[in-house]
Amino acid sequence: SLGLRLEECFREVDELPVGTASMAQVHRAVTLSGEEVVLKIRKPGIEAKIEADLRLMRKIAEIAEAQSPEMRRYQPVEIMQEFERSLTRELDFSVEARNADRMRENLRELDFIKVPKIYWQWTSEDLNVQEFIRGIPSKKIDEIDATGGDRKQIARRGARAIWKMMLEDGFFHADPHPGNFIILPGNRIAMLDFGMVGRLTPTRRDQLIRLIRCVLMQESENATMVLVEWTGGRYVNREALNAEVSSL
């Protein structure tokens, strides 16, 4: 991937991964200039395995849509196509690196959010080299408490970042499990892994804002109107839907 010997780029590389998943694994390293980094390395041969799985899933979706009127309502073939596009983008680590750069720029005004720096001189389709961030994994609640972390402030800051990503930028982290967030001193939050991101059009963002307002103000009929807009013109029993929304 580098086109060079490892020792020409890094002073040391830890051969034991600090994390591993289905598509890649992560190793700590130190650059020749002494900077701590992580190498996210795509597993060899994973593309062929994923393509085989996708072929099977495409066939299942086609059969489901052809055989079941009930399943057809959920457009399994279209869902499968979207899933395939997302997974293909996730396989290219240079896409993830560009997502990280864009996210860092979007969130630059939030000084409590950190997105790791990308080392583009070593990043490619199957290798992502980024800044190593030292902190507490977000799922280690006891450790956060023991070091004086303020859970409520962390939660408020996380929510603020999410609102900004979704409702202002229309570009958001779409894989927000605990392993992708690290708590830093001062109740700051580091966000990791931008292989999967979501995008919202201005129209969809406006609908979300309207729906959130309706929930807060308990305006069931206006909330129902937004939900009907999301049906794509399919028939909906509005009276029954409104009754359910009112109950909720």
Side-chain angles (χ1 to χ4, degrees):
S1 298
L2 295 165
L4 300 162
R5 295 197 312 275
L6 209 56
E7 55 269 23
E8 292 181 68
C9 304
F10 305 105
R11 183 186 301 171
E12 57 185 82
V13 176
D14 189 345
E15 292 189 12
L16 286 175
V18 295
T20 184
S22 57
M23 198 178 290
Q25 59 191 48
V26 177
H27 295 256
R28 288 185 60 182
V30 178
T31 67
L32 296 179
S33 59
E35 295 173 282
E36 290 185 289
V37 296
V38 293
L39 316 182
K40 182 175 180 180
I41 306 166
R42 194 171 70 190
K43 292 186 175 180
I46 194 68
E47 309 99 299
K49 292 180 180 179
I50 287 176
E51 177 52 37
D53 288 344
L54 288 173
R55 281 198 302 272
L56 285 171
M57 293 174 71
R58 281 196 296 267
K59 182 56 67 177
I60 291 169
E62 289 166 5
I63 292 170
E65 191 157 307
Q67 301 285 336
S68 170
E70 182 65 26
M71 286 294 294
R72 201 173 301 140
R73 293 174 52 209
Y74 298 102
Q75 301 174 283
V77 170
E78 193 172 325
I79 290 172
M80 183 58 218
Q81 289 169 348
E82 174 60 29
F83 175 70
E84 186 170 351
R85 282 193 296 268
S86 175
L87 198 57
T88 302
R89 285 194 296 266
E90 199 174 352
L91 269 172
D92 186 344
F93 290 175
S94 67
V95 172
E96 176 184 347
R98 287 195 296 274
N99 290 341
D101 279 353
R102 179 177 173 185
M103 195 71 72
R104 189 185 316 101
E105 175 65 19
N106 286 351
L107 299 177
R108 68 188 185 282
E109 66 188 57
L110 304 183
D111 58 4
F112 51 81
I113 296 291
K114 181 172 180 61
V115 175
K117 169 188 172 183
I118 301 296
Y119 290 79
W120 279 104
Q121 64 268 43
W122 299 307
T123 292
S124 63
E125 184 178 329
D126 54 4
L127 176 66
N128 183 338
V129 180
Q130 56 188 274
E131 169 188 8
F132 172 71
I133 294 179
R134 185 176 280 102
I136 303 172
S138 62
K139 60 185 174 183
K140 294 189 175 180
I141 303 296
D142 292 343
E143 198 171 330
I144 293 169
D145 290 343
T147 54
D150 183 336
R151 291 195 211 179
K152 288 186 178 180
Q153 186 178 41
I154 292 167
R156 280 195 299 268
R157 288 176 165 182
R160 184 175 169 195
I162 289 167
W163 286 127
K164 185 179 189 311
M165 286 187 287
M166 295 188 73
L167 300 182
E168 292 184 29
D169 305 328
F171 182 76
F172 60 92
H173 194 303
D175 191 18
H177 63 77
N180 283 339
F181 297 89
I182 293 175
I183 307 305
L184 308 176
N187 299 312
R188 296 172 66 234
I189 304 167
M191 300 168 59
L192 311 176
D193 192 353
F194 298 93
M196 199 181 299
V197 295
R199 295 169 177 81
L200 291 169
T201 63
T203 298
R204 190 68 84 207
R205 299 204 300 269
D206 177 67
Q207 289 171 328
L208 271 174
I209 291 168
R210 285 161 52 205
L211 185 63
I212 292 161
R213 181 189 180 281
C214 291
V215 171
L216 291 171
M217 304 300 292
Q218 297 190 30
E219 297 174 352
S220 61
E221 290 190 7
N222 289 335
T224 299
M225 286 175 62
V226 177
L227 296 177
V228 169
E229 289 176 24
W230 287 352
T231 64
R234 295 182 186 83
Y235 170 74
V236 175
N237 184 331
R238 292 181 64 138
E239 189 174 338
L241 177 59
N242 189 56
E244 291 194 22
V245 171
S246 298
S247 175
L248 179 64

